[in-house]
Amino acid sequence: MKSKDLVQLEGKLDKSAELAKVAADLERAGVTANLRATTTQMVPGAGNPDAQIMFIGEAPGANEDHLGQPFVGAAGKFLDSMLAEIGLSRDDIYITNIVKYRPPANRDPRPEEIASSLPYLKRQIGIVQPKLIVFLGRHSMNAFFPELKIGEVHGQIIKDAGQAYLPLYHPSFGRYPRNRQTVLDDFKLIPAIIKKLTNN
Ligand code: URA
């Protein structure tokens, strides 16, 4: 008989393979091919495919484009420090962006770029099956909840069709001293939310 550890490892490998297929399908379908033309590579997502928490940002920047990994620049360093404060690391989360290629000169992703990328993000969510989806910034939140304003709902749990979401300000917003405490306080809500979701 297979050990529990082996079954878990096989499940993780299956999820990794399924996530790789999503990235391959996105590339094959030419999603945001306009962006792809000016980038080094796709930044599909990274972390633990078995994670309970999935973070969704906006789009890769220059550092992410260079390394092929999400949130590896200044905003990512701040994110890592906030994760460490609540006892988590990148191995405990799955992290991706709505748009998988860097927009030129870090402009905001356009509505059509978000719309064409969204079905692939939804497939990623379906594979990881996180207990909690954390939106990093208004762009990712508005892709799911267009009517909400980040200034009004940041730090408040949203439940929709059996899925829990937590909208947060983007980490780059927290790098400004006057916003920092709000961003830190919101982030510290995560452990209690996860505890509550896993006890239900
Ligand atoms: N900002 C984002 O929204 N995503 C990244 O991957 C990096 C910075």
Side-chain angles (χ1 to χ4, degrees), residues 2-11:
K2 283 183 193 171
S3 74
K4 193 165 148 261
D5 284 351
L6 187 58
V7 172
Q8 273 180 355
L9 179 65
E10 282 177 353

Side-chain angles (χ1 to χ4, degrees), residues 43 56-61 64 69-73 75-76 96-97 136 170-172:
V43 183
I56 304 175
E58 183 180 320
E64 290 76 21
Q69 299 282 324
F71 284 94
V72 288
T96 185
N97 288 296
L136 295 172
H170 194 279
S172 58

Side-chain angles (χ1 to χ4, degrees), residues 12-104:
K12 219 168 168 173
L13 291 174
D14 284 350
K15 284 188 172 195
S16 297
E18 285 180 61
L19 288 166
K21 185 164 185 313
V22 174
D25 288 350
L26 183 145
E27 182 166 7
R28 197 172 314 116
V31 172
T32 61
N34 59 315
L35 300 179
R36 189 175 142 201
T38 58
T39 59
T40 314
Q41 58 191 319
M42 190 201 300
V43 183
N48 184 347
D50 260 341
Q52 293 187 330
I53 317 178
M54 182 160 171
F55 286 79
I56 304 175
E58 183 180 320
N63 294 295
E64 290 76 21
D65 177 57
H66 182 61
L67 293 174
Q69 299 282 324
F71 284 94
V72 288
K77 300 241 162 5
F78 184 43
L79 179 67
D80 285 343
S81 75
M82 290 193 289
L83 282 171
E85 285 260 327
I86 60 168
L88 296 179
S89 76
R90 295 280 180 124
D91 292 339
D92 301 308
I93 65 163
Y94 191 80
I95 185 161
T96 185
N97 288 296
I98 331 172
V99 170
K100 312 299 193 205
Y101 293 98
R102 181 194 180 200

Side-chain angles (χ1 to χ4, degrees), residues 130-148:
K131 289 232 167 0
L132 178 67
I133 291 177
V134 179
F135 297 126
L136 295 172
R138 70 187 163 92
H139 288 286
S140 62
M141 178 187 76
N142 287 145
F144 289 74
F145 301 102
E147 73 287 3
L148 297 182

